[in-house]
Amino acid sequence: MVGLSPHLILRTARADTIHDETEDMGWTGNVLFDRLVGSTIYTCTAGEYGRLGSNKLVQGVCDHLQFQSKAFNKPYPIPVGGSNGIGSWGYINGVDELMNQLQSMRDSSPSFALDHVVFATGSGGTAAGIALGLSLAYGKLGEGHPAAEGVCDSPDYFYNTVAALATDMGLAIDSAAMEEFVRNSVTVHQGKGRGYAVSSNEELDFIVQFSVETGIALDPVYSGKALFHFLTKVVEEDPESYRNSNILFWHTGGALGIYEKGVDLADRLESVSSVKRIDIYQTKTSSTDKVVDLSS
């Protein structure tokens, strides 16, 4: 693929059964896309991931590739979520695009102001890029104060991660000032619910209802979990802070993750999406609510 060979680490409870070939890797969601582009996938359990940590796992695979073949003499390590200084610059560019869109809106509505920018964060890179980008655009605590809905870990974890990423991106201030800057630049909410990639019934109900009403698909791991928590917890617990506000929810993708929840969503989808048979020969005997008679 464009001269590069993708190698991916997958944390899964099925690592051993896949290895023993008692269970197949599968072809659903992100795994399908990963395999379409020829990825080599390395599996580990959640316990192994927690024991070594993502950075050691990534470096270990890089070392393995270098030792294995001269064809892989320059593996490029990408951390979990692409969350490093380089990756976070992508969201700096995203904020620049947002500024251009806001300027276009102000051409017709000069008084328009953005009050809050809300998004999901799972590894910290999105939060670092958007928070620093908005700080560059507006200054500390300026327009569009960002709120990150953490879909895993704790708010303190994300504050520390954003501070480390800001340093990696070239923000040169001492550690005490950095912590104050980060906490002033972004508010992190605990939005993981039952846990990372674990959906509650309420979250799944929300995702289906939101899709039906807006035509926008939210994934259950990131954007769906984040928006559900923001609307049902953050806003409901402090409605006055958000009343009459202009709130931008930044959809950060991840739609392929919804395919993993097909079984969990089945009953909900049956209630909002029906299937009917067209009968052009007047030969179908099914109940009338499942047949559309076009024979006349």
Side-chain angles (χ1 to χ4, degrees):
M1 185 178 69
V2 296
L4 300 174
S5 177
H7 295 260
L8 310 175
I9 297 173
L10 176 65
R11 178 182 63 189
T12 172
R14 301 186 298 121
D16 289 329
T17 56
I18 292 170
H19 172 71
D20 296 337
E21 298 184 347
T22 56
E23 190 173 357
D24 189 76
M25 168 66 77
W27 310 92
T28 304
N30 287 297
V31 170
L32 173 61
F33 177 80
D34 295 338
R35 302 187 79 174
L36 276 172
V37 296
S39 302
T40 300
I41 301 174
Y42 305 80
T43 63
C44 68
T45 66
E48 292 162 345
Y49 182 93
R51 240 183 332 271
L52 284 182
S54 61
N55 291 336
K56 284 187 178 180
L57 283 169
V58 169
Q59 189 56 53
V61 171
C62 287
D63 294 342
H64 164 75
L65 291 172
Q66 286 184 296
F67 179 77
Q68 170 186 293
S69 170
K70 291 183 179 180
F72 302 118
N73 63 346
K74 291 184 179 179
Y76 180 77
I78 298 176
V80 60
S83 293
N84 59 11
I86 293 175
S88 295
W89 274 104
Y91 274 103
I92 296 284
N93 291 336
V95 171
D96 182 59
E97 182 179 344
L98 172 61
M99 294 301 102
N100 290 329
Q101 292 174 347
L102 289 174
Q103 186 56 55
S104 295
M105 295 174 67
R106 286 171 180 151
D107 288 342
S108 57
S109 301
S111 63
F112 178 83
L114 189 61
D115 300 303
H116 304 278
V117 178
V118 183
F119 50 89
T121 188
S123 55
T126 299
I130 293 178
L132 293 178
L134 290 174
S135 293
L136 288 170
Y138 291 123
K140 185 173 67 174
L141 296 178
E143 182 182 350
H145 184 70
E149 295 291 324
V151 299
C152 57
D153 297 303
S154 67
D156 282 342
Y157 166 84
F158 288 111
Y159 286 127
N160 292 333
T161 299
V162 170
L165 290 172
T167 299
D168 193 22
M169 295 171 73
L171 185 60
I173 56 179
D174 64 65
S175 57
M178 177 68 81
E179 181 176 353
E180 180 183 5
F181 172 78
V182 168
R183 289 179 181 269
N184 285 335
S185 298
V186 60
T187 299
V188 182
H189 300 291
Q190 176 60 275
K192 67 180 181 181
R194 293 178 58 198
Y196 178 74
V198 180
S199 301
S200 67
N201 287 328
E202 292 79 11
E203 288 170 0
L204 294 176
D205 289 341
F206 173 80
I207 288 171
V208 171
Q209 180 185 4
F210 188 87
S211 297
V212 169
E213 293 181 357
T214 69
I216 300 172
L218 301 173
D219 78 286
V221 181
Y222 296 100
S223 291
K225 184 180 285 286
L227 185 56
F228 170 79
H229 182 267
F230 177 72
L231 292 177
T232 63
K233 304 296 183 183
V234 177
V235 174
E236 286 191 4
E237 290 175 3
D238 185 17
E240 292 306 316
S241 293
Y242 299 95
R243 195 178 306 280
N244 299 320
S245 296
N246 291 317
I247 303 171
L248 169 67
F249 181 78
W250 196 314
H251 193 315
T252 52
L256 288 174
I258 202 166
Y259 293 100
E260 297 286 349
K261 299 292 183 180
V263 174
D264 297 324
L265 291 170
D267 289 341
R268 296 169 174 84
L269 296 180
E270 288 289 348
S271 68
V272 299
S273 174
S274 60
V275 179
K276 299 179 184 292
R277 178 67 163 94
I278 294 176
D279 184 3
I280 62 174
Y281 300 114
Q282 208 172 25
T283 58
K284 307 304 174 187
T285 58
S286 301
S287 60
T288 56
D289 63 332
K290 293 184 178 181
V291 174
V292 175
D293 185 357
L294 300 183
S295 60
S296 56

